[in-house]
Amino acid sequence: DEAGRITEDPRERTRQMDRRLAKVRGLDLGEAGVHYAGPPGPDLLLVGWGSTFGVLDEIRRRLAAQGRRVAHLQLGQLWPFPAERVRGCLAGARHLLVVEHNATGQFAGLLRREAGPLPPTYDLRKYDGNPLTLREVERRCREVLVGW
């Protein structure tokens, strides 16, 4: 109930759940929830969330300095998923590389469900407990776009 006491009253449980859902629906982190850097309609869009920010930001800068059309989309909010903002960032991207610290690709799955359809999408999953390295991300970028 409102005071935090357990109740089996279905009306009260429904009322409390509706209150919680209303709070989540109103949650919007604005610009902090979606970060985009790079040109619109890139050849490769690096997509990540959480701890992938630093390595993706750096690799985007390095590849851009080499004349590559690479952009970086980083989400700071996964739920409620900022679908409209994400779709706007995805517009025109030729390829996506979804980078995550997860064995099963949960983030990539969420992206497909909430923002699809997507351009050709590839992944880089690292789940050994160590952070991603620039070398690992750059190698995967080159695999995705053969001929770099």
Side-chain angles (χ1 to χ4, degrees), residues 84-138:
E84 291 304 315
R85 283 193 184 108
V86 169
R87 281 189 205 108
C89 294
L90 297 176
R94 290 187 51 217
H95 299 89
L96 299 184
L97 176 58
V98 180
V99 180
E100 60 184 301
H101 287 284
N102 184 279
T104 62
Q106 287 177 312
F107 176 56
L110 180 66
L111 189 64
R112 282 184 186 92
R113 274 189 311 280
E114 299 295 325
L118 303 176
T121 303
Y122 307 87
D123 61 22
L124 173 56
R125 300 177 191 168
K126 186 169 183 178
Y127 46 94
D128 65 1
N130 293 305
L132 286 155
T133 66
L134 290 170
R135 184 173 300 172
E136 290 168 325
V137 177
E138 185 173 16

Side-chain angles (χ1 to χ4, degrees), residues 56-84:
L56 295 183
D57 186 57
E58 179 62 25
I59 201 69
R60 180 201 59 84
R61 290 173 194 266
R62 287 183 182 197
L63 293 173
Q66 296 171 16
R68 310 298 182 199
R69 289 189 42 81
V70 177
H72 173 203
L73 171 62
Q74 188 78 15
L75 282 93
Q77 170 184 337
L78 295 183
W79 201 259
F81 192 85
E84 291 304 315

Side-chain angles (χ1 to χ4, degrees), residues 6-7 9 25 34 41 47 49 72 80 94 107-108 121 130 135:
I6 296 173
T7 179
D9 177 357
R25 276 191 290 274
V34 178
V47 185
W49 75 279
H72 173 203
R94 290 187 51 217
F107 176 56
T121 303
N130 293 305
R135 184 173 300 172

